[in-house]
Amino acid sequence: DAGVHSKAWYAATCDRKTAEDALYRSNKDGSFLIRKSSGQDSRQPYTLVVFYNRRVYNIPIRFIESTRQYALGREKSGEERFDSVAEIVENHQRSSLVLIDSQNNTKDSTKLKHIVRVS
């Protein structure tokens, strides 16, 4: 169990568009939620959705079978790994999360500050 089910920031049945719409409505930098990934891939079970600078970022959360841990984004050397999705959220409420805009090739960073609930 990833430690997501009782959390305020977990939007279980939310699809990508609903999540993005909710974050645009919040319009606060650092707004976030976690949803199930659209692809139903066991190696990428969740997506962290973050609002920053009038943009919404969908960051895949990977499940690493060999260590039974979670990590953000594409696999990279020296990446941070966590024992649960809740630990990822707690970590990035304290320390900044790097946001990479692949279209404009820019990097930003923000902390996870505002939980967005999807109604």
Side-chain angles (χ1 to χ4, degrees), residues 56-99:
V56 171
Y57 295 83
N58 284 277
I59 304 164
I61 298 175
R62 284 180 297 110
F63 179 65
I64 302 150
E65 193 66 53
S66 58
T67 60
R68 309 209 59 74
Q69 290 177 303
Y70 295 87
L72 287 172
R74 291 202 195 95
E75 195 170 342
K76 48 211 163 297
S77 63
E79 67 188 357
E80 283 187 283
R81 293 182 172 190
F82 301 91
D83 292 327
S84 69
V85 173
E87 273 186 32
I88 293 177
V89 171
E90 286 156 20
N91 179 66
H92 290 298
Q93 285 174 322
R94 291 189 306 268
S95 62
S96 287
L97 170 69
V98 175
L99 302 168

Coordinates of all heavy atoms in Angstrom, one line a residue, residues 56-99:
V56 N 0.2 23.6 -15.2 CA 0.0 22.4 -14.4 C 1.0 21.4 -14.9 O 1.2 21.2 -16.1 CB -1.5 21.9 -14.6 CG1 -1.6 20.5 -14.0 CG2 -2.4 22.8 -13.9
Y57 N 1.7 20.7 -14.0 CA 2.7 19.7 -14.3 C 2.1 18.4 -13.8 O 1.6 18.2 -12.7 CB 4.0 20.0 -13.5 CG 4.7 21.2 -14.0 CD1 4.3 22.5 -13.4 CD2 5.7 21.2 -14.9 CE1 4.9 23.6 -13.8 CE2 6.4 22.3 -15.3 CZ 6.0 23.6 -14.8 OH 6.6 24.7 -15.1
N58 N 2.2 17.4 -14.7 CA 1.8 16.0 -14.3 C 3.1 15.2 -14.2 O 3.7 14.9 -15.2 CB 0.9 15.4 -15.4 CG -0.5 15.9 -15.3 OD1 -1.3 15.5 -14.5 ND2 -0.8 16.9 -16.1
I59 N 3.4 14.8 -13.0 CA 4.7 14.1 -12.7 C 4.4 12.7 -12.4 O 3.8 12.4 -11.4 CB 5.5 14.8 -11.6 CG1 5.7 16.3 -11.9 CG2 6.8 14.1 -11.4 CD1 6.0 17.1 -10.7
P60 N 4.9 11.7 -13.2 CA 4.6 10.3 -12.9 C 5.3 9.9 -11.6 O 6.4 10.4 -11.3 CB 5.2 9.6 -14.1 CG 5.9 10.6 -14.9 CD 5.7 11.9 -14.4
I61 N 4.6 9.1 -10.9 CA 5.2 8.4 -9.7 C 5.4 7.0 -10.0 O 4.5 6.3 -10.3 CB 4.3 8.6 -8.4 CG1 4.1 10.0 -8.1 CG2 4.9 7.8 -7.3 CD1 3.1 10.3 -7.0
R62 N 6.7 6.6 -10.0 CA 7.0 5.2 -10.4 C 7.1 4.3 -9.2 O 7.6 4.8 -8.1 CB 8.4 5.2 -11.1 CG 8.4 5.7 -12.6 CD 9.7 5.6 -13.2 NE 10.7 6.5 -12.5 CZ 11.7 6.1 -11.8 NH1 11.9 4.8 -11.6 NH2 12.5 6.9 -11.2
F63 N 6.7 3.1 -9.4 CA 6.9 2.1 -8.3 C 8.1 1.2 -8.8 O 8.1 0.7 -9.9 CB 5.7 1.2 -8.2 CG 5.8 0.1 -7.2 CD1 6.0 0.4 -5.8 CD2 5.8 -1.2 -7.5 CE1 6.2 -0.6 -4.9 CE2 6.0 -2.2 -6.6 CZ 6.2 -1.9 -5.3
I64 N 9.1 1.1 -7.9 CA 10.3 0.3 -8.2 C 10.2 -1.0 -7.6 O 10.3 -1.2 -6.4 CB 11.6 1.1 -7.7 CG1 11.6 2.5 -8.4 CG2 12.8 0.3 -8.1 CD1 12.3 3.5 -7.6
E65 N 9.9 -2.0 -8.4 CA 9.6 -3.4 -8.0 C 10.7 -3.9 -7.1 O 10.5 -4.5 -6.0 CB 9.4 -4.3 -9.2 CG 8.8 -5.6 -8.9 CD 7.3 -5.5 -8.4 OE1 6.5 -4.9 -9.0 OE2 7.1 -6.1 -7.3
S66 N 12.0 -3.8 -7.5 CA 13.1 -4.4 -6.9 C 13.3 -4.0 -5.4 O 13.7 -4.7 -4.6 CB 14.4 -4.2 -7.7 OG 14.6 -2.7 -7.7
T67 N 13.0 -2.7 -5.2 CA 13.2 -2.2 -3.8 C 11.8 -1.9 -3.1 O 11.8 -1.5 -1.9 CB 14.0 -0.8 -3.8 OG1 13.3 0.1 -4.6 CG2 15.4 -1.1 -4.4
R68 N 10.7 -2.1 -3.9 CA 9.4 -1.8 -3.4 C 9.3 -0.3 -2.9 O 8.7 0.0 -1.8 CB 8.9 -2.8 -2.3 CG 9.1 -4.2 -2.8 CD 8.2 -5.2 -2.2 NE 6.8 -5.0 -2.4 CZ 6.1 -5.2 -3.6 NH1 6.7 -5.6 -4.6 NH2 4.8 -5.1 -3.6
Q69 N 9.9 0.6 -3.6 CA 9.9 2.0 -3.3 C 9.3 2.8 -4.5 O 9.0 2.3 -5.5 CB 11.3 2.5 -3.0 CG 11.9 2.0 -1.7 CD 13.3 2.4 -1.6 OE1 14.1 2.2 -2.4 NE2 13.6 3.1 -0.5
Y70 N 9.1 4.1 -4.2 CA 8.5 5.0 -5.2 C 9.5 6.1 -5.5 O 10.3 6.5 -4.7 CB 7.2 5.7 -4.6 CG 6.2 4.6 -4.4 CD1 6.1 3.9 -3.2 CD2 5.2 4.4 -5.4 CE1 5.1 3.0 -3.0 CE2 4.2 3.4 -5.2 CZ 4.2 2.7 -4.0 OH 3.2 1.8 -3.8
A71 N 9.4 6.6 -6.8 CA 10.3 7.7 -7.2 C 9.5 8.6 -8.2 O 8.6 8.1 -8.8 CB 11.6 7.2 -7.8
L72 N 9.9 9.8 -8.3 CA 9.2 10.8 -9.2 C 9.9 10.8 -10.6 O 11.1 10.8 -10.7 CB 9.2 12.2 -8.7 CG 8.3 12.4 -7.5 CD1 8.6 13.8 -6.9 CD2 6.9 12.3 -7.8
G73 N 9.1 11.0 -11.6 CA 9.6 11.2 -13.0 C 10.3 10.0 -13.6 O 10.1 8.9 -13.2
R74 N 11.1 10.3 -14.6 CA 11.8 9.3 -15.3 C 13.0 8.8 -14.4 O 13.5 9.6 -13.7 CB 12.4 9.8 -16.6 CG 11.3 10.1 -17.6 CD 11.9 10.1 -19.0 NE 10.9 10.7 -19.9 CZ 11.0 12.0 -20.3 NH1 11.9 12.8 -19.8 NH2 10.1 12.5 -21.1
E75 N 13.3 7.6 -14.7 CA 14.4 7.0 -13.9 C 15.7 7.7 -14.1 O 16.0 8.0 -15.3 CB 14.6 5.5 -14.2 CG 15.4 4.8 -13.2 CD 15.4 3.3 -13.4 OE1 14.5 2.8 -14.1 OE2 16.3 2.6 -12.9
K76 N 16.5 8.1 -13.1 CA 17.7 8.7 -13.2 C 18.7 8.3 -12.1 O 18.2 7.9 -11.1 CB 17.6 10.3 -13.2 CG 16.7 10.8 -12.1 CD 16.0 12.1 -12.5 CE 14.9 12.4 -11.6 NZ 13.8 11.5 -11.5
S77 N 20.0 8.4 -12.4 CA 20.9 8.0 -11.4 C 20.9 8.9 -10.2 O 20.7 10.1 -10.4 CB 22.3 7.9 -12.0 OG 22.7 9.1 -12.4
G78 N 21.0 8.4 -9.0 CA 21.0 9.2 -7.8 C 19.7 9.8 -7.4 O 19.6 10.7 -6.7
E79 N 18.6 9.2 -8.0 CA 17.3 9.8 -7.7 C 16.9 9.5 -6.3 O 17.3 8.5 -5.7 CB 16.2 9.2 -8.7 CG 16.0 7.7 -8.4 CD 15.1 7.1 -9.5 OE1 14.6 7.8 -10.4 OE2 14.9 5.8 -9.4
E80 N 16.0 10.3 -5.7 CA 15.4 10.1 -4.4 C 14.4 9.0 -4.5 O 13.5 9.0 -5.4 CB 14.8 11.4 -3.9 CG 15.8 12.4 -3.4 CD 15.0 13.5 -2.7 OE1 14.5 14.4 -3.5 OE2 15.0 13.6 -1.5
R81 N 14.4 8.1 -3.5 CA 13.4 7.0 -3.5 C 12.7 7.1 -2.1 O 13.4 7.4 -1.1 CB 14.1 5.7 -3.7 CG 14.6 5.5 -5.1 CD 15.2 4.1 -5.3 NE 15.5 4.0 -6.7 CZ 15.9 2.8 -7.2 NH1 16.0 1.7 -6.5 NH2 16.2 2.7 -8.5
F82 N 11.5 6.7 -2.1 CA 10.7 6.8 -0.9 C 9.9 5.5 -0.7 O 9.6 4.8 -1.6 CB 9.7 7.9 -1.1 CG 10.3 9.3 -1.3 CD1 10.6 9.7 -2.6 CD2 10.7 10.1 -0.2 CE1 11.2 10.9 -2.8 CE2 11.3 11.3 -0.5 CZ 11.6 11.7 -1.8
D83 N 9.6 5.2 0.6 CA 8.9 4.0 0.9 C 7.4 4.0 0.7 O 6.7 3.0 0.6 CB 9.2 3.6 2.4 CG 10.6 3.2 2.6 OD1 11.2 2.6 1.6 OD2 11.2 3.5 3.7
S84 N 6.9 5.2 0.5 CA 5.5 5.4 0.2 C 5.3 6.7 -0.5 O 6.1 7.6 -0.5 CB 4.6 5.4 1.5 OG 4.9 6.6 2.2
V85 N 4.1 6.8 -1.2 CA 3.7 8.0 -1.8 C 3.6 9.2 -0.8 O 3.9 10.3 -1.1 CB 2.5 7.8 -2.7 CG1 2.0 9.1 -3.3 CG2 2.7 6.8 -3.8
A86 N 3.0 8.8 0.4 CA 2.9 9.8 1.4 C 4.2 10.4 1.8 O 4.3 11.6 2.0 CB 2.2 9.2 2.6
E87 N 5.3 9.6 1.8 CA 6.6 10.2 2.1 C 7.1 11.2 1.0 O 7.8 12.1 1.4 CB 7.6 9.0 2.2 CG 7.7 8.4 3.6 CD 8.9 7.4 3.7 OE1 9.9 7.6 3.0 OE2 8.7 6.4 4.4
I88 N 6.7 10.9 -0.2 CA 7.1 11.8 -1.3 C 6.4 13.2 -1.0 O 7.1 14.2 -1.1 CB 6.6 11.3 -2.7 CG1 7.4 10.1 -3.1 CG2 6.8 12.4 -3.7 CD1 7.0 9.4 -4.4
V89 N 5.1 13.2 -0.7 CA 4.4 14.4 -0.4 C 5.0 15.1 0.8 O 5.3 16.3 0.8 CB 2.9 14.1 -0.2 CG1 2.2 15.4 0.3 CG2 2.3 13.6 -1.4
E90 N 5.2 14.4 1.9 CA 5.8 15.0 3.1 C 7.2 15.6 2.8 O 7.5 16.7 3.3 CB 5.9 13.9 4.2 CG 4.5 13.6 4.8 CD 4.5 12.2 5.5 OE1 5.6 11.7 5.8 OE2 3.4 11.7 5.7
N91 N 8.0 14.9 2.1 CA 9.3 15.4 1.7 C 9.2 16.7 1.0 O 9.9 17.7 1.2 CB 10.1 14.4 0.9 CG 11.5 14.9 0.5 OD1 12.3 15.1 1.3 ND2 11.6 15.1 -0.8
H92 N 8.3 16.8 0.0 CA 8.2 18.0 -0.9 C 7.4 19.1 -0.3 O 7.2 20.1 -0.9 CB 7.8 17.6 -2.3 CG 9.0 16.8 -3.0 ND1 10.2 17.4 -3.2 CD2 9.0 15.6 -3.5 CE1 11.0 16.5 -3.8 NE2 10.3 15.4 -4.0
Q93 N 6.8 18.8 0.9 CA 6.2 19.9 1.6 C 7.3 20.7 2.4 O 7.1 21.8 2.7 CB 5.1 19.4 2.6 CG 3.8 19.0 1.8 CD 2.8 18.3 2.7 OE1 3.1 17.5 3.6 NE2 1.5 18.6 2.5
R94 N 8.4 20.0 2.6 CA 9.5 20.6 3.3 C 10.6 21.1 2.4 O 11.2 22.1 2.6 CB 10.1 19.6 4.3 CG 9.3 19.2 5.5 CD 10.1 18.4 6.4 NE 10.7 17.2 5.8 CZ 10.1 16.0 5.8 NH1 8.9 15.8 6.3 NH2 10.7 15.0 5.2
S95 N 10.8 20.3 1.3 CA 11.9 20.7 0.4 C 11.4 20.8 -1.0 O 10.4 20.1 -1.4 CB 13.1 19.7 0.4 OG 12.6 18.4 0.0
S96 N 12.0 21.7 -1.8 CA 11.4 22.0 -3.2 C 11.4 20.8 -4.1 O 12.3 20.0 -4.1 CB 12.2 23.2 -3.8 OG 11.8 24.4 -3.1
L97 N 10.5 20.8 -5.0 CA 10.3 19.9 -6.0 C 10.7 20.6 -7.3 O 10.3 21.7 -7.6 CB 8.8 19.5 -6.1 CG 8.4 18.6 -7.3 CD1 8.9 17.2 -7.2 CD2 6.8 18.6 -7.2
V98 N 11.6 19.9 -8.1 CA 12.0 20.5 -9.4 C 10.9 20.2 -10.4 O 10.6 19.1 -10.6 CB 13.4 20.0 -9.8 CG1 13.8 20.6 -11.2 CG2 14.4 20.4 -8.8
L99 N 10.5 21.3 -11.1 CA 9.5 21.1 -12.2 C 10.2 21.3 -13.5 O 10.8 22.4 -13.7 CB 8.4 22.1 -12.0 CG 7.7 22.1 -10.7 CD1 6.8 23.3 -10.5 CD2 6.8 20.8 -10.6

